[in-house]
């Protein structure tokens, strides 16, 4: 999925590139249960790496953080250095669809708000081989929270991510893909608004007048605002679920 340059201008320097929080990352880690001392972790679609830093701090492990947008990786490297975590984080520019790591390279494979680029089933299935026996998979994914979403929300997701499904269907997909589910939960609304949408809305207020004569930029801004408004009006019908599962051997 190729994103327009103005999208990255909107999202530049944002703390996160999707809904989430350190609290939710840590809650998911607790579901994983005991991990090896200093585990090897792969963070797929890391963005600027808020959760990467949290994983490194919480586990003491070595986190390989993968993304295809180099400015995000540069931002992560700078934040890791500022936090004294440079030796614990390896930024790597690589597509999640073409990971060349050997089988069984990691104790933990993690991806917050990014598996939709491949699809939940495809990502969970493809990344299983990267886990050591008994290794842990952590994924956050958009889900329906009702069987009867409003028509406007349905139309929005049909255009943005038609593969969105329910929590129960994703749990079944994990089981069929060779995992034993350890737990799951729905991210709170604050993970959407405080950690993601409100900073974007503040950036839009700055960028709109600067690009008043650029129809392409204004279209990107309108799409971003539409997404925020959609959640404000219909966020009770959809959300992000965090799934934590163990490779079942």
């Amino acid at each position: 999925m190729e994103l327009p340059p103005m999208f990255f201008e909107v999202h530049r320097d944002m703390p996160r590139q999707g809904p989430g929080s350190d609290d939710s990352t840590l809650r998911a880690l607790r579901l994983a249960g005991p991990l090896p001392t200093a585990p090897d972790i792969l963070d797929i679609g890391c963005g600027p790496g808020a959760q990467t830093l949290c994983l490194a701090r919480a586990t003491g492990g070595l986190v390989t953080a993968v993304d295809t947008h180099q400015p995000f990786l540069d931002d992560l490297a700078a934040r890791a250095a500022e936090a004294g975590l440079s030796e614990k984080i390896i930024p790597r520019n690589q597509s999640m669809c073409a990971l060349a790591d050997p089988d069984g390279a990691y104790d933990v494979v993690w991806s917050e708000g990014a598996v939709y680029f491949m699809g939940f089933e495809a990502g969970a299935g493809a990344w299983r081989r990267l886990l050591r026996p008994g290794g842990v998979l952590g994924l956050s994914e958009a889900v329906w929270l009702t069987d009867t979403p409003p028509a406007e929300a349905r139309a929005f997701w049909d255009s943005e991510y038609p593969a969105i499904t329910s929590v129960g269907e994703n749990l079944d997909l994990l089981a069929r893909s060779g995992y034993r589910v350890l737990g799951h939960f729905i991210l709170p609304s604050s993970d959407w608004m405080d950690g993601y949408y409100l900073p974007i809305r503040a950036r839009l207020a700055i960028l709109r007048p600067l690009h008043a004569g650029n129809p392409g930029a204004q279209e990107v801004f309108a799409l971003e605002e539409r997404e925020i408004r959609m959640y404000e009006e219909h966020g009770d019908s959809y959300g992000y679920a965090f799934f934590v599962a163990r490779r079942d051997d």
Side-chain angles (χ1 to χ4, degrees), residues 7-8 10 25 77 83-84 142 149 173 181 230 233 241 244:
F7 170 89
F8 292 107
V10 173
T25 298
L173 287 174
V181 176
M230 187 66 57
E233 295 180 1
V244 181

Side-chain angles (χ1 to χ4, degrees), residues 189-207:
S189 61
S190 57
D191 280 12
W192 289 76
M193 297 306 300
D194 298 345
Y196 185 47
Y197 281 151
L198 292 183
I200 288 176
R201 183 168 270 165
R203 173 64 59 81
L204 292 175
I206 295 170
L207 291 176

Side-chain angles (χ1 to χ4, degrees), residues 14-82:
M14 292 289 104
R16 292 181 177 272
Q17 295 303 315
S21 65
D22 284 359
D23 286 346
S24 290
T25 298
L26 293 173
R27 181 178 176 183
L29 269 177
R30 288 193 293 272
L31 290 175
L35 295 174
T37 302
D40 292 312
I41 301 173
L42 179 64
D43 182 12
I44 300 174
C46 64
Q51 74 289 334
T52 314
L53 298 170
C54 185
L55 290 167
R57 289 192 193 98
T59 67
L62 181 65
V63 187
T64 300
V66 174
D67 204 282
T68 57
H69 188 56
Q70 189 60 44
F72 287 161
L73 296 172
D74 294 341
D75 193 7
L76 170 57
R79 293 180 183 184
E82 184 178 353

Side-chain angles (χ1 to χ4, degrees), residues 3-242:
L3 297 170
M6 189 53 65
F7 170 89
F8 292 107
E9 181 63 21
V10 173
H11 287 253
R12 180 172 56 85
D13 299 330
M14 292 289 104
R16 292 181 177 272
Q17 295 303 315
S21 65
D22 284 359
D23 286 346
S24 290
T25 298
L26 293 173
R27 181 178 176 183
L29 269 177
R30 288 193 293 272
L31 290 175
L35 295 174
T37 302
D40 292 312
I41 301 173
L42 179 64
D43 182 12
I44 300 174
C46 64
Q51 74 289 334
T52 314
L53 298 170
C54 185
L55 290 167
R57 289 192 193 98
T59 67
L62 181 65
V63 187
T64 300
V66 174
D67 204 282
T68 57
H69 188 56
Q70 189 60 44
F72 287 161
L73 296 172
D74 294 341
D75 193 7
L76 170 57
R79 293 180 183 184
E82 184 178 353
L85 292 170
S86 293
E87 294 184 359
K88 294 291 186 180
I89 294 174
I90 304 172
R92 190 173 78 196
N93 192 320
Q94 190 174 29
S95 169
M96 66 173 67
C97 301
L99 297 172
D101 305 87
D103 293 356
Y106 298 98
D107 300 297
V108 177
V109 170
W110 207 261
S111 185
E112 295 197 21
V115 70
Y116 72 89
F117 281 111
M118 286 184 68
F120 189 86
E121 184 174 18
W127 301 339
R128 182 181 182 277
R129 69 166 190 85
L130 301 172
L131 286 167
R132 293 169 183 145
V136 171
L137 176 74
L139 298 176
S140 67
E141 167 73 325
V143 295
W144 289 118
L145 302 178
T146 175
D147 294 332
T148 56
E152 188 178 19
R154 172 68 76 178
F156 172 80
W157 283 99
D158 281 348
S159 66
E160 295 298 317
Y161 185 46
I164 184 174
T165 185
S166 68
V167 169
E169 288 178 272
N170 283 329
L171 292 173
D172 290 342
L173 287 174
L174 286 171
R176 293 201 300 270
S177 299
Y179 295 94
R180 178 168 57 86
V181 176
L182 301 174
H184 67 279
F185 61 92
I186 303 299
L187 270 60
S189 61
S190 57
D191 280 12
W192 289 76
M193 297 306 300
D194 298 345
Y196 185 47
Y197 281 151
L198 292 183
I200 288 176
R201 183 168 270 165
R203 173 64 59 81
L204 292 175
I206 295 170
L207 291 176
R208 280 196 185 96
L210 295 178
H211 298 275
N214 184 337
Q218 295 299 323
E219 182 179 0
V220 170
F221 303 156
L223 289 172
E224 294 277 354
E225 183 60 43
R226 173 182 176 238
E227 180 179 333
I228 298 171
R229 181 183 58 79
M230 187 66 57
Y231 185 76
E232 289 176 328
E233 295 180 1
H234 301 299
D236 57 344
S237 68
Y238 64 88
Y240 259 81
F242 218 127

